[in-house]
Amino acid sequence: MNRTTTLANGVEMPRVGMGVFQMTPDQAENATKWALEAGYRSIDTAQGYNNEEAVGKGLIASGVPREEVFITTKVRASQLGYEETKAAFYESLEKLQLNYIDLFLIHWPKTGLYNDAWRVMEELYEAGKIRAIGVSNFLPEHLDQLLTTAKITPMINQIEVHPMLTQVAERQYNDSLGIVTEAYCPLGSGRLLRHPALLKLAEKYGKTTAQLMIRWEIQNDIVTIPKSVNHDRIKANFDVWDFEISEDDIQLINALNENKRVGTDPHHFMEIFYGDKKQPDYILSDWEKVLE
């Protein structure tokens, strides 16, 4: 399978990238360097991760030419709006020590502000400052609202996807608009590494459960950004190109879906981030209760 996917504007984006969510600056710098040395050519960060500078340093330390690496960052919800998003973009550019960003995303669909943010992103894209623009955590209703004013349809929608949360309807809606789905938390924040069915299948293919899930994402035509701060696991997570999961086993993994999130639900993020609603506690699945 081709290691890149083609976005709506013709830009080639690697199917497997390295995420740096919840990494300290030191961890993000090392992980970026190690990932690029291992063959990754896509790194995903965000303003809200507070490690953009570290990613920039890791890119320089790797020695990999800038033009060979696909860098994604995201504007945080508190900086949405026309002038706010423009200022945030140039702040990210400076922190990353770059002349352009490959993919710039709206991180969360904060009501009433993302249409204005999108307008300046379109302008920056048309000016050549960004190679591709997209969104993150957008549900179909958010996409519909964005498209009431957008001149350019998002090229990427980055959402939580893993075998416990397959989001088939959301992915199909993205497809209908020509939007590539990108998965964050592709390993269920590590929770799925001990899933009995996945362990059994991983053994069948002679791979780790992480490699199995990453390959499952690839074969479902989903761009994926696993994360790790461990040098060996970073290398192993990219070693997914020498095997293929059978269609029967793909369907078996698909059937593990429980519509269960490990991250914030976009339906309620406004109340959680800006209101008095608490992030709901994660409820263990039956197989997890057995392992506890």
Side-chain angles (χ1 to χ4, degrees):
M1 178 174 282
N2 195 320
R3 297 192 182 194
T4 63
T5 190
T6 305
L7 304 183
N9 65 344
V11 167
E12 295 291 319
M13 180 179 182
R15 290 183 182 272
V16 178
M18 173 77 186
V20 297
F21 175 55
Q22 292 184 326
M23 291 189 191
T24 66
D26 284 347
Q27 289 173 331
E29 182 176 347
N30 286 332
T32 297
K33 179 176 180 291
W34 293 338
L36 294 173
E37 290 173 344
Y40 293 75
R41 288 297 178 266
S42 176
I43 306 294
D44 179 279
T45 184
Q47 293 170 358
Y49 301 169
N50 298 312
N51 56 25
E52 288 175 310
E53 288 179 338
V55 168
K57 291 177 181 178
L59 171 58
I60 293 169
S62 74
V64 176
R66 162 67 185 107
E67 62 272 15
E68 294 182 12
V69 183
F70 194 96
I71 300 291
T72 299
T73 193
K74 315 172 193 75
V75 57
R76 66 176 92 219
S78 61
Q79 290 181 274
L80 291 182
Y82 185 87
E83 294 297 338
E84 295 85 349
T85 299
K86 180 185 286 188
F89 170 79
Y90 283 105
E91 182 181 338
S92 288
L93 207 61
E94 182 177 354
K95 287 182 176 179
L96 289 161
Q97 301 182 63
L98 301 177
N99 294 320
Y100 66 91
I101 288 173
D102 296 279
L103 177 62
F104 197 53
L105 305 177
I106 295 175
H107 206 157
W108 290 94
K110 190 175 181 182
T111 304
L113 294 175
Y114 55 80
N115 289 76
D116 285 339
W118 190 254
R119 182 161 55 93
V120 74
M121 288 168 62
E122 290 177 328
E123 292 174 4
L124 290 165
Y125 168 73
E126 290 172 342
K129 295 291 186 181
I130 311 170
R131 296 181 65 218
I133 51 178
V135 295
S136 178
N137 294 298
F138 271 51
L139 301 167
E141 56 261 39
H142 301 130
L143 291 171
D144 288 345
Q145 174 58 35
L146 182 66
L147 292 173
T148 62
T149 59
K151 295 188 298 179
I152 301 170
T153 300
M155 296 146 196
I156 285 280
N157 188 8
Q158 187 184 109
I159 58 177
E160 181 181 341
V161 182
H162 44 73
M164 211 159 50
L165 182 71
T166 55
Q167 300 231 64
V168 173
E170 290 78 5
R171 286 159 45 200
Q172 289 175 342
Y173 198 73
N174 289 341
D175 289 345
S176 73
L177 296 172
I179 300 172
V180 171
T181 298
E182 181 177 18
Y184 70 80
C185 290
L187 311 181
S189 290
R191 292 184 179 275
L192 291 170
L193 296 177
R194 298 188 298 160
H195 194 295
L198 295 173
L199 283 167
K200 184 177 179 179
L201 278 178
E203 183 179 4
K204 171 182 175 179
Y205 289 97
K207 293 292 182 178
T208 67
T209 47
Q211 289 168 331
L212 181 81
M213 284 186 277
I214 294 164
R215 184 69 198 189
W216 171 79
E217 303 263 0
I218 292 170
Q219 290 184 222
N220 271 300
D221 205 23
I222 303 167
V223 173
T224 183
I225 46 170
K227 55 163 278 194
S228 177
V229 298
N230 178 279
H231 182 268
D232 291 339
R233 284 196 289 272
I234 287 171
K235 291 177 64 177
N237 287 348
F238 196 67
D239 183 20
V240 293
W241 308 103
D242 60 349
F243 76 110
E244 185 171 342
I245 305 171
S246 72
E247 183 57 32
D248 286 347
D249 289 340
I250 289 287
Q251 295 306 320
L252 191 156
I253 298 172
N254 291 346
L256 299 178
N257 178 57
E258 299 181 16
N259 293 320
K260 186 170 291 185
R261 297 180 181 276
V262 295
T264 301
D265 188 339
H267 288 100
H268 304 297
F269 101 95
M270 286 289 289
E271 305 120 276
I272 293 169
F273 285 16
Y274 301 100
D276 56 5
K277 186 179 179 70
K278 290 180 61 178
Q279 175 80 10
D281 293 332
Y282 179 84
I283 300 173
L284 293 178
S285 299
D286 289 341
W287 62 270
E288 290 176 291
K289 293 174 184 176
V290 172
L291 296 175
E292 286 296 307

